[in-house]
Amino acid sequence: MKYTYLLINFFTILFPVILSFDKRVAFYKSWRFIIPGMAITGLLFLFWDVLFTIHGVWSFNDKYITGIEFFELPVEEILFFLTVPFACIFIYACLNYYIKWTINQDVARSISGIIALASAFILMGHADKLYTAVTFSLLGVILIALLFFVKAPWLGRFYMAYLVSLIPFYVVNGLLTSIPVVLYNDEQNMGVRIWTIPFEDHFYSMALLMMNIAFFQYFKDKKEAAV
């Protein structure tokens, strides 16, 4: 029972690691581009995670964790910010290899603008909910940065990967919230759930993956430009 969250992390990353050595995608060759971005993004999200835990946004069920903690966080929660981005960047890389079609850049920018605008409206209506406020503030800032400063050309492919990543998302987060391993305080979110998963989780995940892929593309493109 105490290894439940640890096992969820293990199985989240198991197949992406094994399939990284497939000769066609050869994802293992991209690991060096993932690590810096995962470190930067992980530190930011773990900072919020510690604050969320301290302020009671969520808590962890002692029955399903090992009890090893760092800065108020179970070690399994720290691993979550490594295993999930790794698995999702693997999905992104596979789609880039196998599917040449992508969402039109103008359409992708429009989708990004709509999400950013919706985030602003949700933030205005739920500024008193800590999880909601941080999630949609962070997502809005990331989207604005990618749209107007980075001018990311890969947003169409990101949205394709994000849609595919929702399949493992519903499995992993569904397990975490239905067992439950992670207990959410509905006073700090909108109180809307899809199955047992808080509505905000979908966009917290989007922000996490978008930031990881932004750094992945930055380090990858920088290396390719130098060759």
Side-chain angles (χ1 to χ4, degrees), residues 20-34 216 220 223:
S20 291
F21 298 95
D22 173 78
K23 291 181 180 179
R24 288 165 292 186
V25 179
F27 185 59
Y28 71 93
K29 293 180 180 179
S30 297
W31 286 3
R32 66 186 185 276
F33 306 127
I34 297 172
F216 169 70
K220 185 172 181 288
K223 178 65 176 179

Side-chain angles (χ1 to χ4, degrees), residues 10-197:
F10 174 74
F11 285 111
T12 296
I13 203 171
L14 177 62
F15 292 106
V17 168
I18 293 172
L19 294 174
S20 291
F21 298 95
D22 173 78
K23 291 181 180 179
R24 288 165 292 186
V25 179
F27 185 59
Y28 71 93
K29 293 180 180 179
S30 297
W31 286 3
R32 66 186 185 276
F33 306 127
I34 297 172
I35 294 169
M38 282 176 60
I40 297 167
T41 306
L43 285 173
L44 174 63
F45 277 79
L46 286 170
F47 168 77
W48 286 116
D49 208 332
V50 170
L51 288 183
F52 287 163
T53 304
I54 291 171
H55 290 285
V57 171
W58 54 50
S59 58
F60 303 92
N61 193 331
D62 290 339
K63 291 194 295 185
Y64 303 109
I65 57 177
T66 58
I68 301 170
E69 293 186 352
F70 297 94
F71 303 104
E72 305 287 333
L73 292 181
V75 66
E76 296 91 339
E77 179 74 353
I78 296 170
L79 290 173
F80 179 88
F81 288 99
L82 300 176
T83 59
V84 169
F86 182 91
C88 291
I89 296 173
F90 173 75
I91 291 171
Y92 175 79
C94 287
L95 287 177
N96 284 347
Y97 181 85
Y98 287 109
I99 300 177
K100 301 308 177 186
W101 178 86
T102 187
I103 297 170
N104 178 275
Q105 180 67 359
D106 289 335
V107 173
R109 288 180 64 85
S110 296
I111 292 170
S112 301
I114 290 168
I115 296 172
L117 190 61
S119 295
F121 279 113
I122 292 171
L123 176 59
M124 285 189 289
H126 301 276
D128 59 326
K129 310 287 187 182
L130 185 57
Y131 187 32
T132 309
V134 170
T135 296
F136 289 102
S137 295
L138 183 60
L139 180 58
V141 168
I142 293 171
L143 283 167
I144 289 168
L146 291 176
L147 281 172
F148 300 107
F149 297 98
V150 178
K151 298 182 179 178
W154 43 263
L155 284 171
R157 292 205 164 271
F158 167 80
Y159 288 121
M160 291 169 62
Y162 175 74
L163 288 174
V164 175
S165 77
L166 286 176
I167 299 170
F169 168 85
Y170 280 115
V171 174
V172 172
N173 283 49
L175 287 170
L176 291 175
T177 55
S178 64
I179 291 175
V181 177
V182 183
L183 302 129
Y184 286 81
N185 176 5
D186 284 345
E187 291 183 0
Q188 297 292 351
N189 61 56
M190 294 167 63
V192 177
R193 299 206 179 207
I194 298 175
W195 186 22
T196 55
I197 303 169

